[in-house]
Amino acid sequence: MLKKIAVTAVIAAVANLSGFAPVSAQIRVEISGVGSNQIPIAIAGFTDEALTPQQVTSIIKDDLNRSGYFKIIDANTVLNENAVVNFGDWKSKGADALVVGSVQSLVDGRFDVRYKLFDTVKSNALSGFSVTAPPNNIRLTAHRIADDIYEKLTGVRGIFSTRIAYVTKAGSEYRLEVADADGDGTKIALRSSEPIISPAWSPDGTKVAYVSFEKRKPVILVQNLITGERTEVANFKGNNSAPAWSHDGSKLAVALSRDGQTQIFTVNANGGNLQKLTSSSSIDTEPQFSADGQSIYFLSDRSGGPQIYKMSASGGDPKRVTFTGSYNITPRISPDGKTLAYISRRDGKFQLYALDLASGQELRLSDTTKDESPSFSPNGRYIMYATESGRRGALAVVSIDGKVKQKLTVQAGDIREPTWGPFMK
């Protein structure tokens, strides 16, 4: 019996971004490297999937291949979820897992997509469900199937149905764009003739905070991605920058220079209840809440050069976290709180590093030289960051062990300031 899963209203609304313009130029993804212990998996063609606007199995294959943790075995056949599976045949082809399914067109224009996952080694079914989806949610449905496969076979939640946001610049126009994690389904949330920087997703995935220069100075705004409504959160004297959400989405940690030197504050998501957390003679900026919400990581030059510190979420004496290298900026903490990612300048190169907070072991994850703006995937297995490709801004994704790498580029213009959205409930 297959489980029946509905595509929730919030997921569908954010995925569609009603009222926002689609983008014709999609992101190009290049993959290099593979993860350790790749899982060989065969994905049979879904029966009648030609009825859908996008081929479901093609999207699933691309997702799993892009992850670096699967080896796709050529199935060369079509099988639905009710087919009798000869497990011996699939094991002889080298497949440890098999995906089958079907698509049915409904009278109201929607599609019933059914899927089942088999373990060919143990000769049993591992998972399966059906989703009823409109034509414009077929891609999301395929991503959710890939998520389920990834989780059942690796034990880690999949991130294929999550979203990313980033800023592109083409000519004199800046755009805040939102796309699927694979760079497809791009839509424009905001256009501006002035720079847009530091976008950050809300924990529920319905809003993005960012810094806009529309008023000829940096101002922090929160934009509802479903309605398009914008709320001005911080427009104080001086610079208003570096917004980061608390875990319950009720407030933001921000960096303000309203009193002279840039310091760390918190402010409610609606712009009220401003509270100052640091009062130093140094520059304190780029705050990030810890995984448990009890602490804030931030950047400060109080030691003579830019380093990363940690303090209580209510303020107090900070403790230095980074000690290797003289220039470490842009702290980002993994969802499990175990790994700190940041950009370090060494030998004139700005590169992405990850620090195991328990052992103190550091790992360089990038081989480019102008990296910035790291952002963890919600399952903590990947980091997206901005870099350069052919003198243009590009995005890159790397697994936390450094073995799987992707590069995302657009045909024209720069792409910068990535932020990876949360899991959608």
Side-chain angles (χ1 to χ4, degrees):
M1 182 71 70
L2 296 179
K3 294 183 295 179
K4 187 73 175 179
I5 297 180
V7 178
T8 67
V10 171
I11 293 177
V14 173
N16 295 327
L17 286 178
S18 302
F20 294 122
V23 180
S24 57
Q26 298 293 317
I27 295 175
R28 178 186 177 190
V29 181
E30 301 172 29
I31 307 168
S32 62
V34 296
S36 58
N37 302 318
Q38 281 192 303
I39 301 169
I41 182 171
I43 301 170
F46 283 24
T47 57
D48 295 328
E49 68 174 334
L51 297 172
T52 59
Q54 297 96 15
Q55 192 177 51
V56 176
T57 54
S58 177
I59 298 169
I60 296 170
K61 289 177 184 177
D62 287 345
D63 282 345
L64 298 181
N65 185 54
R66 198 173 66 255
S67 77
Y69 292 99
F70 294 87
K71 179 182 179 182
I72 306 300
I73 304 297
D74 186 13
N76 198 30
T77 190
V78 175
L79 291 172
N80 67 33
E81 70 282 359
N82 296 316
V84 177
V85 176
N86 186 321
F87 293 107
D89 284 350
W90 290 105
K91 283 188 286 188
S92 69
K93 294 178 181 180
D96 288 352
L98 170 67
V99 175
V100 300
S102 66
V103 172
Q104 181 181 354
S105 179
L106 304 179
V107 293
D108 61 2
R110 295 182 299 165
F111 294 96
D112 185 23
V113 182
R114 296 170 177 256
Y115 129 86
K116 189 174 285 187
L117 172 67
F118 291 100
D119 181 332
T120 64
V121 176
K122 296 182 179 179
S123 302
N124 62 6
L126 288 177
S127 187
F129 55 73
S130 68
V131 176
T132 301
N136 60 346
N137 278 338
I138 291 299
R139 175 167 287 277
L140 174 61
T141 299
H143 287 322
R144 295 187 68 196
I145 292 172
D147 282 342
D148 189 68
I149 296 167
Y150 187 98
E151 182 172 6
K152 295 301 187 298
L153 296 182
T154 70
V156 177
R157 191 171 177 182
I159 42 80
F160 307 117
S161 62
T162 60
R163 307 281 282 169
I164 59 174
Y166 49 86
V167 176
T168 59
K169 183 178 186 293
S172 60
E173 183 180 66
Y174 296 85
R175 298 194 300 241
L176 176 63
E177 299 181 0
V178 177
D180 295 346
D182 63 357
D184 211 307
T186 307
K187 291 184 172 61
I188 301 172
L190 177 68
R191 297 177 185 266
S192 177
S193 59
E194 299 297 331
I196 305 165
I197 63 172
S198 304
W201 285 88
S202 65
D204 66 1
T206 64
K207 304 178 186 69
V208 171
Y210 55 86
V211 177
S212 169
F213 286 76
E214 295 170 66
K215 296 188 176 181
R216 304 291 179 173
K217 60 171 288 187
V219 175
I220 298 172
L221 297 125
V222 169
Q223 180 161 336
N224 187 308
L225 293 176
I226 300 173
T227 66
E229 180 184 3
R230 299 203 298 170
T231 302
E232 193 173 89
V233 173
N235 182 12
F236 300 100
K237 177 184 177 182
N239 295 329
N240 307 268
S241 61
W245 290 88
S246 63
H247 286 249
D248 62 1
S250 65
K251 59 185 177 181
L252 297 160
V254 298
L256 308 177
S257 64
R258 53 170 285 174
D259 302 325
Q261 198 79 291
T262 300
Q263 299 291 289
I264 307 298
F265 294 74
T266 57
V267 62
N268 287 354
N270 61 7
N273 192 29
L274 184 70
Q275 295 185 1
K276 191 173 185 178
L277 300 187
T278 63
S279 298
S280 72
S281 58
S282 305
I283 295 175
D284 298 336
T285 186
E286 295 187 350
Q288 290 286 310
F289 281 93
S290 63
D292 61 8
Q294 300 302 305
S295 305
I296 290 178
Y297 291 85
F298 66 99
L299 170 66
S300 178
D301 64 354
R302 62 185 63 204
S303 62
Q307 296 291 345
I308 297 167
Y309 291 77
K310 179 183 179 181
M311 66 178 173
S312 167
S314 59
D317 293 332
K319 295 182 179 180
R320 184 170 166 178
V321 177
T322 54
F323 292 91
T324 304
S326 61
Y327 189 102
N328 297 302
I329 63 173
T330 322
R332 298 291 186 269
I333 193 72
S334 62
D336 64 6
K338 296 180 180 180
T339 305
L340 179 71
Y342 49 93
I343 303 298
S344 185
R345 185 186 67 192
R346 302 179 194 182
D347 300 323
K349 300 175 182 178
F350 291 84
Q351 295 179 308
L352 174 65
Y353 284 77
L355 177 68
D356 184 305
L357 292 171
S359 68
Q361 183 176 354
E362 186 185 56
L363 178 65
R364 179 170 61 83
L365 296 178
S366 69
D367 51 17
T368 40
T369 60
K370 295 183 178 179
D371 304 333
E372 58 186 36
S373 307
S375 179
F376 274 95
S377 64
N379 68 359
R381 273 211 169 177
Y382 305 90
I383 302 173
M384 179 175 286
Y385 60 99
T387 187
E388 280 195 1
S389 177
R391 296 187 178 181
R392 289 193 343 212
L395 302 184
V397 177
V398 62
S399 58
I400 57 171
D401 60 7
K403 294 180 179 179
V404 181
K405 297 182 178 181
Q406 304 167 31
K407 184 171 65 176
L408 296 79
T409 57
V410 291
Q411 292 180 347
D414 289 328
I415 179 169
R416 294 279 184 182
E417 304 278 345
T419 177
W420 208 316
F423 288 123
M424 298 296 289
K425 297 179 180 180

